Amino acid sequence: MTTEALPDADAARAALHDVRREVAKAVVGQDAAVTGLVVALLCRRHVLLEGVPGVAKTLLVRALAATLTLDAKRVQFTPDLMPGDVTGSLVYDARTAEFSFREGPVFTNLLLADEINRTPPKTQASLLEAMEERQVSVDGQPRPLPDPFVVIATQNPVEYEGTYPLPEAQLDRFQLKLTMPLPDRADEITILSRHAAGFDPSDLAAAGVTAVAGPADIEAGRRAVNEVTLAPEVLGYVVDVCRATRSAPSVTLGVSPRGETALLAAARAWAWLSGRGYVTPDDVQALARPTLRHRLRLRPEAELDGVTQDAVIDGVLATVPVPR
């Protein structure tokens, strides 16, 4: 963490709002996803981005990295990618006749794990320790990762050819699962107009995307988020919502206590970004879908009937009493 003086909370909030404005210079119509990424940065947690090919998942993460003075690296997950290609490995040095550790791309602040579900489970699992404990163990020696450290993984929908579904243990490490839908007609016209005017996705600087926030703003924001107050009624509401998912008729696996803490943290960050020092039930409802959807396992017969995780969450929110 940087030793420079931290900005005040209002300045940090303004800088993080500027991040959303800068990303919009490159990515059209994905404001909800950008907001979710900012929430994850404030919570020091990870994000799974899902969408069909061609909806700017990778461009979104690259644009986010360009707005932050953070080290960012990208790994393209492929069927032949090995765990050591992500974490690093011991390399023999013939001059010293000793093994030395060569860091992998995971040693960064912002790791883009592109198309994470196109690599086999063994390589997917190489990120588990890094995501949970913020360290990498090689040859029995733990090596801490930089702070901040956030994994933003993209994936295509699991029914697409050549994909490997992520195991529940890994899905649970992602605070948010953000879906990137196809843009509406007006946004598609804007996208084509930008390309017709010469927009080059590989040259974000030419598009005017600049760095407007850094580690100090994120740390100041985190500290401010930790000061956001939580009424006992709101804590109870979070618990009731998550417990209700476990008894939903379409679900075989509901939200665990880890999911409850993820929802609480996301709601606090959203409340602070919205300019409030306290969490409301509306904040919990606003973050329920992205925080909980990937933590629910549906019954096979429910999936055949077209039931979705979002529909289950909507049903739970409609039935759990809201504190007033």
Side-chain angles (χ1 to χ4, degrees):
M1 178 59 212
T2 180
T3 57
E4 66 182 280
L6 297 180
D8 62 41
D10 290 338
R13 185 189 294 114
L16 292 172
H17 280 296
D18 288 343
V19 165
R20 297 193 293 181
R21 183 199 67 223
E22 289 296 311
V23 171
K25 294 178 180 178
V27 181
V28 177
Q30 300 291 352
D31 294 340
V34 178
T35 300
L37 292 173
V38 173
V39 166
L41 283 171
L42 288 169
C43 298
R44 300 178 73 236
R45 303 196 188 189
H46 314 290
V47 175
L48 185 63
L49 278 177
E50 183 177 274
V52 299
V55 292
K57 299 186 297 294
T58 303
L59 178 61
L60 173 61
V61 182
R62 288 181 50 243
L64 177 72
T67 69
L68 301 166
T69 54
L70 297 175
D71 183 45
K73 294 178 182 175
R74 175 180 179 270
V75 178
Q76 180 66 50
F77 279 67
T78 57
D80 60 349
L81 191 74
M82 300 298 292
D85 298 331
V86 179
T87 61
S89 57
L90 294 175
V91 178
Y92 182 71
D93 189 335
R95 293 174 298 176
T96 62
E98 294 180 349
F99 285 93
S100 60
F101 180 67
R102 180 177 297 169
E103 292 184 349
V106 75
F107 286 85
T108 187
N109 297 125
L110 192 63
L111 177 67
L112 169 56
D114 217 357
E115 295 187 302
I116 190 173
N117 62 337
R118 288 202 179 278
T119 197
K122 182 179 180 179
T123 304
Q124 293 174 1
S126 66
L127 280 175
L128 281 175
E129 182 187 16
M131 293 172 67
E132 183 65 18
E133 301 179 32
R134 302 182 185 281
Q135 67 177 26
V136 168
S137 296
V138 176
D139 197 29
Q141 180 179 346
R143 293 173 169 83
L145 295 171
D147 183 29
F149 170 70
V150 174
V151 175
I152 303 176
T154 71
Q155 71 169 12
N156 298 319
V158 294
E159 60 269 17
Y160 272 58
E161 184 177 354
T163 59
Y164 301 82
L166 296 177
E168 282 76 11
Q170 183 157 14
L171 284 172
D172 209 32
R173 263 72 174 181
F174 290 100
Q175 181 187 29
L176 304 175
K177 179 182 177 182
L178 306 174
T179 57
M180 294 185 62
L182 289 166
D184 60 28
R185 184 175 185 275
D187 286 338
E188 287 193 69
I189 290 174
T190 301
I191 292 169
L192 291 185
S193 297
R194 288 186 178 184
H195 280 266
F199 172 70
D200 182 359
S202 64
D203 189 358
L204 295 176
V209 179
T210 58
V212 293
D217 298 295
I218 296 171
E219 181 63 23
R222 286 176 181 169
R223 295 186 183 186
V225 167
N226 288 336
E227 299 298 321
V228 172
T229 59
L230 295 155
E233 295 81 6
V234 174
L235 286 173
Y237 183 57
V238 171
V239 171
D240 291 343
V241 166
C242 293
R243 287 176 62 87
T245 65
R246 302 170 198 166
S247 57
S250 300
V251 172
T252 60
L253 179 66
V255 178
S256 69
R258 194 208 305 266
E260 293 174 346
T261 63
L263 178 55
L264 188 64
R268 290 179 91 178
W270 173 246
W272 179 76
L273 282 172
S274 301
R276 281 180 283 101
Y278 55 91
V279 177
T280 69
D282 288 342
D283 298 323
V284 177
Q285 293 172 1
L287 274 298
R289 274 189 172 196
T291 310
L292 305 182
R293 59 167 59 112
H294 55 298
R295 305 175 196 274
L296 302 180
R297 181 194 290 173
L298 298 178
R299 296 184 183 277
E301 58 270 25
E303 290 186 282
L304 290 174
D305 289 339
V307 176
T308 65
Q309 285 90 346
D310 284 359
V312 171
I313 295 167
D314 290 344
V316 165
L317 294 176
T319 56
V320 173
V322 179
R324 297 298 179 188

